[in-house]
């Protein structure tokens, strides 16, 4: 049951990432910018979207503030693009019990 809920969670995240990518592409085009001009930031759960979208779009950079809660338990490395030109910056405490630093580093 937990595995099924994780699969559904992954599907929902990826669907929202597609929507966000399309929206950002429109904004970039409207303002005469490229993906390499794009820097994304996300806080807490918003960091998941920022990290995945930034990686997919090869953004200039992604700032992950507060980390990604339970990145290891939710298997987020499975849906993170394996290759990207985006630079990642993680801002969180190394003693945080909710945002595990090692799974976060593996994801990014």
């Amino acid at each position: 049951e937990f595995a099924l809920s994780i699969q559904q969670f992954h599907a929902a995240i990826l669907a929202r990432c597609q929507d966000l990518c399309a929206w950002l592409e429109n904004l970039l085009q409207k303002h005469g910018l490229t993906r390499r001009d794009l820097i994304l930031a996300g806080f807490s759960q918003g960091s998941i979207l920022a990290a995945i979208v930034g990686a997919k779009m090869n953004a200039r950079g992604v700032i992950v503030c507060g980390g990604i809660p339970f990145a290891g338990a939710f298997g987020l490395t499975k849906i993170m693009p394996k290759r990207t030109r985006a630079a990642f910056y993680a801002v969180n405490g190394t003693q945080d019990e909710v945002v595990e630093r090692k799974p976060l580093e593996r994801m990014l």
Side-chain angles (χ1 to χ4, degrees):
E1 199 171 298
F2 181 73
L4 180 59
S5 67
I6 293 297
Q7 289 174 351
Q8 292 169 337
F9 179 58
H10 288 181
I13 289 172
L14 292 174
R16 296 303 67 80
C17 287
Q18 280 185 313
D19 295 341
L20 188 51
C21 284
W23 182 74
L24 286 168
E25 288 289 359
N26 285 334
L27 278 178
L28 291 171
Q29 184 178 14
K30 177 180 176 180
H31 295 286
L33 301 170
T34 70
R35 291 176 174 197
R36 295 304 295 161
D37 296 313
L38 181 64
I39 297 173
L40 297 174
F43 177 76
S44 192
Q45 293 180 14
S47 295
I48 298 169
L49 296 176
I52 293 170
V53 168
K56 282 180 177 273
M57 294 182 72
N58 288 308
R60 176 174 295 250
V62 179
I63 304 166
V64 177
C65 302
I68 299 172
F70 309 108
F74 291 141
L76 296 176
T77 56
K78 294 177 183 175
I79 60 173
M80 183 72 176
K82 303 299 179 225
R83 294 190 179 136
T84 185
R85 291 190 330 246
F88 289 89
Y89 304 92
V91 181
N92 78 312
T94 57
Q95 301 299 314
D96 194 323
E97 294 177 9
V98 175
V99 179
E100 307 164 74
R101 184 71 184 199
K102 293 294 181 195
L104 173 63
E105 289 173 356
R106 282 192 299 271
M107 182 180 163
L108 303 178

